[in-house]
Amino acid sequence: NTLTFDKSPSYMNLEFFPEVVDYAKAHLPNAKIIATLCNPAERMYSDFNNLVRKTGYKEFYQDYQMKPPRNFSEFVRLLHADNPLCNEKLELCESLRSRYLKKGEYLNNLQPWLNGYGQDNVLIVNMDEDPAMIVKRLLNHVGDEILPESEYPWKEIVSEEYKFNTNPNLAYEGRQSSYQSFDEDMK
């Protein structure tokens, strides 16, 4: 048995990569697919935060003769269809919607994977789930027999004795901190 992992958010961006499921199925017909999903708004915020940190962010908007959004709220307003800017710069609006909004349409993006591989071969994981439950579901999906116990202490991890740090306040504080940092960065 060979265990190979590959991860990319692009696999869920069928607007830009419409052939990815067919390509994967042709080359990896027996693959077990795992889709890790988070709150779509948080995903979009993370995407935007990564975009801001990349070089070329301001230049991208300057190419369209407009000021870049100063914060996440302004960015989201740009994506609304009723934004007057979308009447003037339809190509820009469609590009941004495809890149940031449509990627969060999980049902639309997962359906081709479900159709191509079947529901039994696609595991959908909500990243807000309890980590111990995620591990149990992952092991059930890929089969713990292919993971050597000497390298992967799964039995210990899924036992009641192993404690993950699941303090919801830490996750909330982390999100609040990143939102605050983002707003400060954009000033």
Side-chain angles (χ1 to χ4, degrees):
N1 287 335
T2 300
L3 183 64
T4 303
F5 288 94
D6 188 23
K7 170 214 151 310
S8 174
S10 297
Y11 299 149
M12 289 288 288
N13 199 342
L14 299 179
E15 285 282 313
F16 289 106
F17 305 103
E19 306 296 322
V20 70
V21 177
D22 294 336
Y23 185 83
K25 187 67 176 169
H27 293 282
L28 301 165
N30 300 314
K32 295 284 190 172
I33 307 301
I34 302 167
T36 57
L37 308 179
C38 64
N39 177 310
E42 289 180 14
R43 186 215 41 82
M44 189 168 76
Y45 174 77
S46 177
D47 274 353
F48 178 67
N49 202 14
N50 288 328
L51 173 69
V52 168
R53 296 200 190 302
K54 288 182 181 177
T55 57
Y57 167 72
K58 291 182 180 176
E59 291 81 4
F60 173 80
Y61 287 95
Q62 289 167 353
D63 288 347
Y64 285 93
Q65 290 87 40
M66 59 183 283
K67 291 186 343 189
R70 291 175 296 148
N71 56 42
F72 185 63
S73 295
E74 285 186 13
F75 176 74
V76 171
R77 280 194 292 276
L78 280 177
L79 301 176
H80 285 272
D82 60 354
N83 183 325
L85 178 69
C86 286
N87 292 329
E88 299 170 27
K89 301 182 188 309
L90 184 60
E91 179 185 331
L92 169 65
C93 287
E94 286 303 313
S95 171
L96 292 174
R97 279 195 205 109
S98 291
R99 186 172 294 155
Y100 298 103
L101 286 179
K102 291 182 180 180
K103 196 184 332 178
E105 295 175 353
Y106 296 143
L107 180 60
N108 294 337
N109 293 324
L110 282 169
Q111 197 60 56
W113 291 100
L114 293 165
N115 293 345
Y117 280 91
Q119 286 189 330
D120 291 342
N121 292 314
V122 178
L123 175 66
I124 301 169
V125 176
N126 177 346
M127 294 309 290
D128 288 332
E129 276 184 76
D130 173 43
M133 287 304 303
I134 291 174
V135 169
K136 287 179 184 179
R137 292 181 61 222
L138 285 170
L139 288 174
N140 188 48
H141 184 64
V142 299
D144 61 358
E145 69 279 354
I146 64 171
L147 303 169
E149 180 68 29
S150 60
E151 295 179 40
Y152 303 96
W154 299 119
K155 289 183 175 121
E156 176 190 344
I157 290 173
V158 297
S159 75
E160 299 302 318
E161 295 153 18
Y162 191 89
K163 298 295 180 205
F164 287 90
N165 183 356
T166 58
N167 182 342
N169 291 331
L170 290 177
Y172 176 77
E173 288 168 13
R175 286 185 192 120
Q176 290 304 104
S177 172
S178 64
Y179 291 136
Q180 183 178 3
S181 296
F182 174 75
D183 283 338
E184 289 169 6
D185 286 349
M186 295 305 292
K187 287 182 182 171

